Amino acid sequence: MTDAAPTVIAIDGPAASGKGTIAQGVARALGFHYLDSGSLYRLVALKALQAGTALDDESGLARVAETLNSGFVDGRTFLDGVDVGSAIHTEAVATAASRVAVVAGVRRALLGRQRAFRRRPGLVADGRDMGTVVFPDAALKVYITASPEERAGRRYKQLIEKGNSVTLESLLRDIRERDARDSSRAAAPLKPAADAIILDTTGLSIEAGVAFVLARYRELGSEHGH
Ligand code: CDP
């Protein structure tokens, strides 16, 4: 057993479904590492915007991803040595991220970086294609969703708390557009893995979401007799 690859819990789902907060809660409870794969796509988008790389220049974007100078330290996110934690969480960068995420060369370039997060004692990975493409052998796959209205409401609260000025209407439109682009792209489209458990968090608290995933994970342990 000592040669087995470290355990992965894959948590996928659409924008603002609660997957990031739930994934972090699960990682904290189990003492596992945490991968926010969306931040890599957001970093590629931010770098492209800074460098003036057009969002339809596929080879230019693939190069940005290949040479990305990213850093993740103590929950902070760096680009070229600069803390960009708030810069990558604007709606403009989220929209640009979903555009760069369509490019197969970008996804290919980020694959190894994501897999490098798989370390003992385990990893909770959050994104769109954790269970389908990046960690198809994950021990547990959960697909977290919620209604678009509930997701827009959550993202509205988050952005307003951070001092951004947005309207609920424009967020709902952004979320619907992003869902459509993420689900319809050819490369690693957003969809539950065949072996994923679906969790709808509409009307469900974060704590209940975390408890749900932990319970499924513990069931797994008892099935394998330890
Ligand atoms: O937090 P939210 O769900 O709004 O966004 P995110 O997880 O940070 O992802 C931003 C964008 O990156 C998504 O709209 C996807 O287009 C893309 N993405 C992806 O294609 N694959 C992933 N594993 C993670 C994110």
Side-chain angles (χ1 to χ4, degrees):
M1 275 308 276
T2 47
D3 290 343
T7 306
V8 176
I9 298 178
I11 301 199
D12 291 302
S17 55
K19 66 187 183 323
T21 317
I22 292 174
Q24 287 175 62
V26 170
R28 208 172 307 119
L30 296 173
F32 280 14
H33 300 282
Y34 168 62
L35 166 63
D36 168 14
S37 63
S39 69
L40 285 167
Y41 291 91
R42 288 172 181 265
L43 286 171
V44 172
L46 179 61
K47 181 71 193 187
L49 295 172
Q50 287 175 351
T53 308
L55 296 180
D56 58 2
D57 172 3
E58 298 203 355
S59 54
L61 291 172
R63 214 160 18 223
V64 168
E66 282 155 15
T67 57
L68 190 71
N69 177 12
S70 60
F72 299 93
V73 186
D74 298 334
R76 292 163 71 199
T77 307
F78 296 87
L79 176 63
D80 298 325
V82 178
D83 187 335
V84 291
S86 43
I88 59 168
H89 283 105
T90 63
E91 273 304 289
V93 171
T95 300
S98 98
R99 291 192 57 189
V100 309
V102 168
V103 180
V106 168
R107 307 200 70 88
R108 207 176 308 120
L110 297 180
L111 209 51
R113 286 177 198 253
Q114 295 173 84
R115 289 186 175 147
F117 279 78
R118 185 175 198 163
R119 292 192 306 266
R120 265 166 239 296
L123 174 69
V124 182
D126 128 35
R128 301 289 187 287
D129 60 344
M130 299 297 99
T132 51
V133 175
V134 182
F135 303 109
D137 62 338
L140 177 65
K141 301 178 185 178
V142 184
Y143 186 88
I144 299 190
T145 185
S147 71
E149 292 75 16
E150 170 118 356
R151 294 190 280 122
R154 288 180 189 161
R155 189 48 51 92
Y156 180 75
K157 249 184 84 193
Q158 266 178 3
L159 289 170
I160 293 291
E161 274 165 13
K162 286 185 184 153
N164 293 284
S165 75
V166 281
T167 66
L168 194 56
E169 212 175 35
S170 71
L171 277 177
L172 186 58
R173 198 181 49 236
D174 283 358
I175 279 188
R176 286 191 198 278
E177 271 176 22
R178 212 136 63 82
D179 282 356
R181 191 162 34 232
D182 290 353
S183 308
S184 65
R185 69 184 177 219
L190 169 67
K191 63 156 194 262
D195 49 350
I197 299 169
I198 313 277
L199 173 65
D200 188 329
T201 63
T202 309
L204 197 75
S205 70
I206 292 296
E207 295 71 34
V210 172
F212 175 89
V213 178
L214 288 173
R216 298 292 85 73
Y217 181 67
R218 290 190 177 121
E219 281 168 14
L220 221 62
S222 54
E223 271 168 31
H224 291 96
H226 42 82

